[in-house]
């Protein structure tokens, strides 16, 4: 099935720093979603993107749908302790995605005091 | 508005047993999808149900099955459990306005441990 390459796998940052992560695919996607998962909980939807080049913000979070439709980026500005968690990208292929959403392996965000 | 509810939160079973997990979607959502999450494989799609019919299926063996009821609630069953079935099983619901559900809202999951 389709694979999404999400990077970095983990990030160790200081509180107040900005964070950037991305996802790339080998095929074209028509939907990109970004989720955050806290320990012991299910993923929570942060941002949904539906159009190439689209830039969408949700508070300190900003995500972009890549122009090639094969990648997406998530930025977090001025990180705070509650940003700790695992961030997943997910995409739906342009062909419809009979296998449902494809998820990246996640980026573990760790904030050092 | 209540979120997606999954029961039970934790389960411990032994090899060879079977297990049934339950999911109640967000009110008004007609699609329910199931995912398996493990540290090694990440989130993997099991299947999706819409209007009591399975309309998409992932690459899992036939031991994994599910169903959806007329009130959109869904159950997932795993028979003849194996050690490798230990995972967090996540249910997600969606309005499913299009053929393939995209904007998924997840429950907290059922953590299954197979001994």
């Amino acid at each position: 099935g389709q694979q999404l390459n999400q990077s970095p796998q983990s990030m160790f940052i200081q509180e107040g720093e900005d964070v950037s992560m991305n996802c790339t695919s080998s095929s074209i996607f028509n939907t990109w979603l970004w989720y955050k998962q806290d320990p012991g909980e299910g993923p929570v939807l942060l941002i949904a993107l539906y159009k190439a080049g689209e830039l969408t913000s949700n508070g300190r979070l900003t995500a972009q749908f890549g122009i090639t439709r094969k990648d997406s980026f998530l930025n977090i500005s001025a990180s705070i302790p509650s940003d700790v968690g695992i961030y997943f990208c997910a995409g739906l292929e342009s062909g419809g995605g009979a296998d449902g959403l494809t998820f990246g392996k996640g980026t573990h965000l760790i904030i050092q005091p | 508005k209540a979120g997606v509810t999954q029961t039970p939160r934790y389960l411990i079973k032994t090899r060879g047993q079977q297990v049934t997990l339950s999911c109640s979607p967000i009110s008004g959502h007609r699609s329910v999808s199931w995912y398996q999450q493990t540290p090694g494989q990440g989130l993997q799609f099991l299947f999706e149900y819409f209007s009591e019919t399975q309309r998409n299926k992932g690459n899992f063996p036939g031991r994994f099955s599910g169903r959806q009821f007329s009130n959109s609630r869904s159950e997932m069953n795993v028979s003849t459990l194996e050690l490798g079935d230990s995972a967090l099983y996540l249910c997600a619901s969606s309005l499913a306005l299009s053929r393939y559900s995209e904007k998924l809202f997840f429950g907290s999951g059922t953590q299954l441990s197979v001994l």
Side-chain angles (χ1 to χ4, degrees), chain B residues 77-94:
Chain B
N77 185 75
V78 188
S79 62
T80 319
L81 285 166
E82 301 176 359
L83 294 178
D85 296 333
S86 295
L88 180 66
Y89 289 88
L90 291 162
C91 166
S93 74
S94 167

Side-chain angles (χ1 to χ4, degrees), chain A residues 35 42-44 103, chain B residues 4 6 35 43 90-93 104-108:
Chain A
Y35 286 86
V44 174
F103 282 82
Chain B
V4 178
Q6 288 188 250
Y35 285 80
L43 279 150
L90 291 162
C91 166
S93 74
L104 300 180
F105 295 87
F106 285 87
S108 297

Side-chain angles (χ1 to χ4, degrees), chain B residues 29-69:
Chain B
H29 284 195
R30 300 167 65 190
S31 164
V32 172
S33 300
W34 289 88
Y35 285 80
Q36 182 194 66
Q37 186 177 29
T38 59
Q41 298 298 319
L43 279 150
Q44 296 191 93
F45 175 70
L46 282 155
F47 30 64
E48 180 198 8
Y49 286 86
F50 178 81
S51 293
E52 302 178 64
T53 301
Q54 185 184 88
R55 67 175 184 177
N56 291 312
K57 187 178 187 305
N59 189 27
F60 276 80
R63 300 185 297 107
F64 292 82
S65 63
R67 59 178 177 168
Q68 186 180 32
F69 302 96

Side-chain angles (χ1 to χ4, degrees), chain A residues 30-31 33 35 37 39-45 47-48 50 86 88 92 95-105, chain B residues 9-10 35 37 39-45 55-59 88 90 98 100-109:
Chain A
N30 63 7
T31 299
L33 306 171
Y35 286 86
Q37 186 174 27
E41 299 296 328
V44 174
L45 182 63
I47 293 177
Y50 300 102
I86 305 175
F88 292 97
L92 191 65
D99 291 340
L101 282 176
T102 301
F103 282 82
K105 290 289 179 71
Chain B
R9 281 300 304 267
Y10 303 95
Y35 285 80
Q37 186 177 29
Q41 298 298 319
L43 279 150
Q44 296 191 93
F45 175 70
R55 67 175 184 177
N56 291 312
K57 187 178 187 305
N59 189 27
L88 180 66
L90 291 162
S98 61
Y100 298 99
S101 299
E102 36 173 67
K103 211 168 180 178
L104 300 180
F105 295 87
F106 285 87
S108 297

